[in-house]
Amino acid sequence: MNHNDSRRKFLQTSALAGTALLIPDALWASKASQKNIGLQLYSVRDDMKKDPLATLKAVAEMGYKNVEHANYINHKFYGYEPKEFRKIIDDLGLAMRSGHVVMKGEDWDATKQDFTDSWKQTVEDAAILGQKYLISPWLDISLRRNFEDCKRFMDVFNKAGELSLKSGVKFGYHNHDFEFSLRLTSVKVYDIIMQYTDPKLVCQQLDIGNMYGGGGRPMELLKQYPGRFELMHVKDEVKGEKEPWESSMLGKGIMNVAEVLKEAAKTAGTTEYIIEQESYQGHTPLESMKYDLEWIKKVKF
């Protein structure tokens, strides 16, 4: 997801130097042959707001088989109850293997050492949709003021992973840019996340575009943490008019996306490749999504 202020506000509203961890080939090599290509629906957010049913139908007709949600408010998906929304996507021949919901500090009751009923319901709703992954795409500023606070919340991440697995869902995290530009006691926030989360409990969704403005480079991360990225947000970046960088159609920007995809399939254990584009350079969002899907299908990875 993009790192501009409007995106951060959206996330908040919707949500009510590391050592490489070497994982044996056997644990992920077989998974890497699986390529579930999907679409993050934030890419067509205005269309989803106007007419979610028509937009989902258009996406399905383009050839997408998997979609990832970015709108979960008051335990509803785009205004629909979980079971109702599950039927909608099923009827269109779509799957929702993953979705984004911000896990906030207040979702964990430190006194009771337990999650709130609301967060427990979030996990159950993800299971109802048939999600394999529940991804938190933000780490609030209050949780990254210092090294110890950040490290402590990674333990909550691990506990979220334990809770999710009971419902057949895996909890994960999605990066923006601050994880690479912000250091706590000289350690990058992203390295804190990677070092203090258990990969068996917490998966990572690597957004290869978001990191760019913060100094992160996807090829470096894939090599630093082999086998750690089950999911990826596939995007390209160009110089922005309002922001230093903005996303673009795949293959049109400065990212060598094809190279990243090949490396992810080879060494990262990536099975979920989610296309996301939030800026369109004069094209419509739906036009862009059609182009992006056609582009990625031509890449051999």
Side-chain angles (χ1 to χ4, degrees), residues 23 43 61 65 67 83 98 113 135 144 163 168 176 178 183 209 213 225 229 245 253-254 270 286 292 296 301:
I23 297 179
S43 306
E61 289 175 348
K65 301 298 183 184
V67 289
K83 290 182 179 179
S98 55
Q113 286 291 293
I135 307 297
R144 46 184 161 98
L163 174 67
H176 279 71
F178 68 84
R183 292 176 180 266
Y225 296 107
F229 304 102
W245 298 98
I254 52 87
T270 308
L286 287 171
D292 289 341
I296 199 171
F301 65 102

mmCIF file of all heavy atoms in Angstrom, residues 23 43 61 65 67 83 98 113 135 144 163 168 176 178 183 209 213 225 229 245 253-254 270 286 292 296 301:
data_model
loop_
_atom_site.group_PDB
_atom_site.id
_atom_site.type_symbol
_atom_site.label_atom_id
_atom_site.label_comp_id
_atom_site.label_asym_id
_atom_site.label_seq_id
_atom_site.Cartn_x
_atom_site.Cartn_y
_atom_site.Cartn_z
ATOM 1 N N ILE A 23 16.061 -20.810 6.202
ATOM 2 C CA ILE A 23 15.039 -21.843 6.298
ATOM 3 C C ILE A 23 15.353 -22.913 5.268
ATOM 4 O O ILE A 23 15.561 -22.613 4.094
ATOM 5 C CB ILE A 23 13.638 -21.250 6.037
ATOM 6 C CG1 ILE A 23 13.323 -20.215 7.137
ATOM 7 C CG2 ILE A 23 12.576 -22.335 6.023
ATOM 8 C CD1 ILE A 23 11.983 -19.549 6.968
ATOM 9 N N SER A 43 -6.846 -0.990 -5.079
ATOM 10 C CA SER A 43 -6.481 -0.498 -6.403
ATOM 11 C C SER A 43 -7.681 0.071 -7.149
ATOM 12 O O SER A 43 -7.538 0.936 -8.016
ATOM 13 C CB SER A 43 -5.861 -1.623 -7.234
ATOM 14 O OG SER A 43 -4.780 -2.227 -6.569
ATOM 15 N N GLU A 61 -14.250 -10.802 -14.692
ATOM 16 C CA GLU A 61 -14.286 -10.938 -16.151
ATOM 17 C C GLU A 61 -12.921 -10.678 -16.782
ATOM 18 O O GLU A 61 -12.621 -11.185 -17.858
ATOM 19 C CB GLU A 61 -15.337 -9.997 -16.733
ATOM 20 C CG GLU A 61 -16.761 -10.434 -16.426
ATOM 21 C CD GLU A 61 -17.813 -9.443 -16.899
ATOM 22 O OE1 GLU A 61 -17.429 -8.304 -17.272
ATOM 23 O OE2 GLU A 61 -19.012 -9.804 -16.907
ATOM 24 N N LYS A 65 -8.772 -14.302 -10.311
ATOM 25 C CA LYS A 65 -9.410 -15.385 -9.564
ATOM 26 C C LYS A 65 -9.366 -15.138 -8.060
ATOM 27 O O LYS A 65 -10.081 -15.792 -7.297
ATOM 28 C CB LYS A 65 -8.716 -16.722 -9.873
ATOM 29 C CG LYS A 65 -8.739 -17.116 -11.340
ATOM 30 C CD LYS A 65 -10.157 -17.302 -11.861
ATOM 31 C CE LYS A 65 -10.153 -17.760 -13.316
ATOM 32 N NZ LYS A 65 -11.537 -17.860 -13.855
ATOM 33 N N VAL A 67 -9.011 -12.043 -4.932
ATOM 34 C CA VAL A 67 -9.021 -10.632 -4.549
ATOM 35 C C VAL A 67 -8.688 -10.511 -3.068
ATOM 36 O O VAL A 67 -8.953 -11.420 -2.281
ATOM 37 C CB VAL A 67 -10.388 -9.957 -4.833
ATOM 38 C CG1 VAL A 67 -10.612 -9.795 -6.323
ATOM 39 C CG2 VAL A 67 -11.538 -10.723 -4.192
ATOM 40 N N LYS A 83 -20.894 -13.485 5.815
ATOM 41 C CA LYS A 83 -21.493 -14.591 5.060
ATOM 42 C C LYS A 83 -22.074 -14.102 3.743
ATOM 43 O O LYS A 83 -22.008 -14.798 2.718
ATOM 44 C CB LYS A 83 -22.565 -15.292 5.901
ATOM 45 C CG LYS A 83 -22.000 -16.077 7.076
ATOM 46 C CD LYS A 83 -23.106 -16.788 7.840
ATOM 47 C CE LYS A 83 -22.515 -17.598 9.001
ATOM 48 N NZ LYS A 83 -23.576 -18.298 9.782
ATOM 49 N N SER A 98 -6.784 -13.532 1.163
ATOM 50 C CA SER A 98 -6.169 -12.649 2.152
ATOM 51 C C SER A 98 -6.935 -11.352 2.261
ATOM 52 O O SER A 98 -7.721 -11.002 1.376
ATOM 53 C CB SER A 98 -4.706 -12.355 1.774
ATOM 54 O OG SER A 98 -4.614 -11.822 0.464
ATOM 55 N N GLN A 113 -4.236 -10.206 29.432
ATOM 56 C CA GLN A 113 -3.354 -11.007 28.582
ATOM 57 C C GLN A 113 -4.172 -11.789 27.552
ATOM 58 O O GLN A 113 -4.013 -13.004 27.372
ATOM 59 C CB GLN A 113 -2.497 -11.949 29.433
ATOM 60 C CG GLN A 113 -1.372 -11.257 30.189
ATOM 61 C CD GLN A 113 -0.274 -10.730 29.253
ATOM 62 O OE1 GLN A 113 0.432 -11.503 28.615
ATOM 63 N NE2 GLN A 113 -0.145 -9.404 29.182
ATOM 64 N N ILE A 135 -3.926 -10.032 7.270
ATOM 65 C CA ILE A 135 -2.733 -9.184 7.229
ATOM 66 C C ILE A 135 -3.006 -7.830 7.880
ATOM 67 O O ILE A 135 -3.960 -7.130 7.520
ATOM 68 C CB ILE A 135 -2.276 -8.948 5.776
ATOM 69 C CG1 ILE A 135 -2.102 -10.277 5.036
ATOM 70 C CG2 ILE A 135 -1.001 -8.124 5.737
ATOM 71 C CD1 ILE A 135 -1.031 -11.172 5.596
ATOM 72 N N ARG A 144 5.847 2.219 18.023
ATOM 73 C CA ARG A 144 7.223 2.270 17.518
ATOM 74 C C ARG A 144 7.946 3.535 17.970
ATOM 75 O O ARG A 144 8.718 4.127 17.232
ATOM 76 C CB ARG A 144 7.232 2.164 15.991
ATOM 77 C CG ARG A 144 6.225 3.051 15.268
ATOM 78 C CD ARG A 144 6.256 2.785 13.776
ATOM 79 N NE ARG A 144 5.083 3.241 13.087
ATOM 80 C CZ ARG A 144 4.980 4.393 12.419
ATOM 81 N NH1 ARG A 144 6.006 5.215 12.376
ATOM 82 N NH2 ARG A 144 3.859 4.710 11.800
ATOM 83 N N LEU A 163 -3.556 -17.229 17.872
ATOM 84 C CA LEU A 163 -5.011 -17.137 17.862
ATOM 85 C C LEU A 163 -5.568 -17.437 16.480
ATOM 86 O O LEU A 163 -6.530 -18.204 16.335
ATOM 87 C CB LEU A 163 -5.442 -15.739 18.305
ATOM 88 C CG LEU A 163 -6.946 -15.428 18.217
ATOM 89 C CD1 LEU A 163 -7.732 -16.272 19.219
ATOM 90 C CD2 LEU A 163 -7.204 -13.933 18.445
ATOM 91 N N GLY A 168 -7.713 -21.552 11.491
ATOM 92 C CA GLY A 168 -7.239 -21.922 10.169
ATOM 93 C C GLY A 168 -6.745 -20.761 9.330
ATOM 94 O O GLY A 168 -6.673 -20.854 8.104
ATOM 95 N N HIS A 176 5.119 -0.593 4.950
ATOM 96 C CA HIS A 176 5.037 0.669 4.212
ATOM 97 C C HIS A 176 6.478 1.141 3.967
ATOM 98 O O HIS A 176 7.296 0.383 3.494
ATOM 99 C CB HIS A 176 4.191 1.687 4.976
ATOM 100 C CG HIS A 176 2.733 1.469 4.762
ATOM 101 N ND1 HIS A 176 2.065 0.404 5.296
ATOM 102 C CD2 HIS A 176 1.821 2.165 4.036
ATOM 103 C CE1 HIS A 176 0.789 0.444 4.914
ATOM 104 N NE2 HIS A 176 0.627 1.508 4.140
ATOM 105 N N PHE A 178 8.155 3.499 6.445
ATOM 106 C CA PHE A 178 8.820 3.893 7.696
ATOM 107 C C PHE A 178 9.635 2.764 8.305
ATOM 108 O O PHE A 178 10.596 3.004 9.031
ATOM 109 C CB PHE A 178 7.794 4.397 8.718
ATOM 110 C CG PHE A 178 6.864 3.333 9.240
ATOM 111 C CD1 PHE A 178 7.236 2.502 10.289
ATOM 112 C CD2 PHE A 178 5.607 3.162 8.687
ATOM 113 C CE1 PHE A 178 6.392 1.513 10.775
ATOM 114 C CE2 PHE A 178 4.742 2.175 9.168
ATOM 115 C CZ PHE A 178 5.150 1.356 10.203
ATOM 116 N N ARG A 183 14.838 4.053 12.577
ATOM 117 C CA ARG A 183 15.677 3.172 13.386
ATOM 118 C C ARG A 183 15.394 3.407 14.863
ATOM 119 O O ARG A 183 15.259 4.549 15.298
ATOM 120 C CB ARG A 183 17.162 3.405 13.101
ATOM 121 C CG ARG A 183 17.604 2.979 11.707
ATOM 122 C CD ARG A 183 19.060 3.332 11.447
ATOM 123 N NE ARG A 183 19.494 2.927 10.124
ATOM 124 C CZ ARG A 183 20.094 1.770 9.833
ATOM 125 N NH1 ARG A 183 20.350 0.917 10.824
ATOM 126 N NH2 ARG A 183 20.452 1.475 8.605
ATOM 127 N N GLY A 209 6.920 -1.934 -3.555
ATOM 128 C CA GLY A 209 6.918 -0.534 -3.942
ATOM 129 C C GLY A 209 6.984 0.410 -2.771
ATOM 130 O O GLY A 209 7.720 1.404 -2.785
ATOM 131 N N GLY A 213 10.606 4.421 -1.097
ATOM 132 C CA GLY A 213 10.808 5.766 -0.573
ATOM 133 C C GLY A 213 11.504 5.802 0.774
ATOM 134 O O GLY A 213 12.092 6.820 1.152
ATOM 135 N N TYR A 225 16.479 -12.170 4.025
ATOM 136 C CA TYR A 225 15.551 -13.031 4.772
ATOM 137 C C TYR A 225 14.948 -14.091 3.848
ATOM 138 O O TYR A 225 13.748 -14.066 3.552
ATOM 139 C CB TYR A 225 14.442 -12.189 5.400
ATOM 140 C CG TYR A 225 14.917 -11.208 6.443
ATOM 141 C CD1 TYR A 225 14.947 -9.834 6.175
ATOM 142 C CD2 TYR A 225 15.322 -11.642 7.695
ATOM 143 C CE1 TYR A 225 15.370 -8.927 7.138
ATOM 144 C CE2 TYR A 225 15.748 -10.746 8.663
ATOM 145 C CZ TYR A 225 15.779 -9.390 8.374
ATOM 146 O OH TYR A 225 16.206 -8.495 9.338
ATOM 147 N N PHE A 229 8.856 -14.650 2.969
ATOM 148 C CA PHE A 229 7.801 -13.818 2.374
ATOM 149 C C PHE A 229 6.779 -14.675 1.630
ATOM 150 O O PHE A 229 6.902 -14.925 0.435
ATOM 151 C CB PHE A 229 8.418 -12.775 1.444
ATOM 152 C CG PHE A 229 9.447 -11.916 2.129
ATOM 153 C CD1 PHE A 229 10.801 -12.143 1.936
ATOM 154 C CD2 PHE A 229 9.060 -10.911 2.997
ATOM 155 C CE1 PHE A 229 11.752 -11.363 2.577
ATOM 156 C CE2 PHE A 229 10.015 -10.128 3.649
ATOM 157 C CZ PHE A 229 11.355 -10.353 3.439
ATOM 158 N N TRP A 245 7.357 9.353 -4.790
ATOM 159 C CA TRP A 245 7.125 8.178 -5.625
ATOM 160 C C TRP A 245 5.646 7.822 -5.603
ATOM 161 O O TRP A 245 4.963 8.032 -4.606
ATOM 162 C CB TRP A 245 7.946 6.989 -5.126
ATOM 163 C CG TRP A 245 9.418 7.209 -5.180
ATOM 164 C CD1 TRP A 245 10.226 7.602 -4.143
ATOM 165 C CD2 TRP A 245 10.266 7.093 -6.322
ATOM 166 N NE1 TRP A 245 11.522 7.733 -4.568
ATOM 167 C CE2 TRP A 245 11.579 7.423 -5.902
ATOM 168 C CE3 TRP A 245 10.045 6.739 -7.660
ATOM 169 C CZ2 TRP A 245 12.663 7.401 -6.775
ATOM 170 C CZ3 TRP A 245 11.126 6.722 -8.524
ATOM 171 C CH2 TRP A 245 12.413 7.048 -8.084
ATOM 172 N N GLY A 253 7.612 1.489 -14.625
ATOM 173 C CA GLY A 253 8.349 2.293 -13.663
ATOM 174 C C GLY A 253 9.807 1.912 -13.540
ATOM 175 O O GLY A 253 10.387 1.288 -14.442
ATOM 176 N N ILE A 254 10.384 2.263 -12.394
ATOM 177 C CA ILE A 254 11.820 2.073 -12.185
ATOM 178 C C ILE A 254 12.155 0.727 -11.543
ATOM 179 O O ILE A 254 13.316 0.350 -11.440
ATOM 180 C CB ILE A 254 12.404 3.225 -11.323
ATOM 181 C CG1 ILE A 254 11.610 3.413 -10.021
ATOM 182 C CG2 ILE A 254 12.407 4.516 -12.108
ATOM 183 C CD1 ILE A 254 12.039 2.585 -8.882
ATOM 184 N N THR A 270 7.391 -17.473 -1.800
ATOM 185 C CA THR A 270 6.189 -16.685 -2.065
ATOM 186 C C THR A 270 5.170 -17.485 -2.860
ATOM 187 O O THR A 270 5.500 -18.083 -3.895
ATOM 188 C CB THR A 270 6.550 -15.400 -2.840
ATOM 189 O OG1 THR A 270 7.596 -14.715 -2.163
ATOM 190 C CG2 THR A 270 5.339 -14.490 -2.964
ATOM 191 N N LEU A 286 -9.603 0.515 -13.535
ATOM 192 C CA LEU A 286 -9.934 -0.781 -14.132
ATOM 193 C C LEU A 286 -9.095 -1.058 -15.370
ATOM 194 O O LEU A 286 -8.684 -2.207 -15.607
ATOM 195 C CB LEU A 286 -11.428 -0.853 -14.457
ATOM 196 C CG LEU A 286 -12.345 -0.997 -13.230
ATOM 197 C CD1 LEU A 286 -13.812 -0.828 -13.625
ATOM 198 C CD2 LEU A 286 -12.132 -2.350 -12.538
ATOM 199 N N ASP A 292 -2.206 -4.698 -15.887
ATOM 200 C CA ASP A 292 -1.297 -5.327 -14.926
ATOM 201 C C ASP A 292 -1.420 -6.841 -14.935
ATOM 202 O O ASP A 292 -0.414 -7.563 -14.845
ATOM 203 C CB ASP A 292 -1.564 -4.788 -13.517
ATOM 204 C CG ASP A 292 -1.113 -3.341 -13.355
ATOM 205 O OD1 ASP A 292 -0.299 -2.878 -14.170
ATOM 206 O OD2 ASP A 292 -1.585 -2.675 -12.410
ATOM 207 N N ILE A 296 1.652 -9.434 -15.943
ATOM 208 C CA ILE A 296 2.258 -10.417 -15.042
ATOM 209 C C ILE A 296 2.122 -11.831 -15.613
ATOM 210 O O ILE A 296 2.970 -12.691 -15.356
ATOM 211 C CB ILE A 296 1.645 -10.331 -13.631
ATOM 212 C CG1 ILE A 296 2.574 -10.984 -12.598
ATOM 213 C CG2 ILE A 296 0.252 -10.945 -13.581
ATOM 214 C CD1 ILE A 296 2.152 -10.745 -11.161
ATOM 215 N N PHE A 301 8.043 -16.866 -14.086
ATOM 216 C CA PHE A 301 8.667 -16.893 -12.752
ATOM 217 C C PHE A 301 8.129 -18.060 -11.952
ATOM 218 O O PHE A 301 7.186 -18.715 -12.358
ATOM 219 C CB PHE A 301 8.449 -15.567 -12.019
ATOM 220 C CG PHE A 301 7.027 -15.254 -11.676
ATOM 221 C CD1 PHE A 301 6.554 -15.446 -10.374
ATOM 222 C CD2 PHE A 301 6.150 -14.737 -12.610
ATOM 223 C CE1 PHE A 301 5.241 -15.140 -10.040
ATOM 224 C CE2 PHE A 301 4.833 -14.426 -12.292
ATOM 225 C CZ PHE A 301 4.389 -14.633 -11.003
#
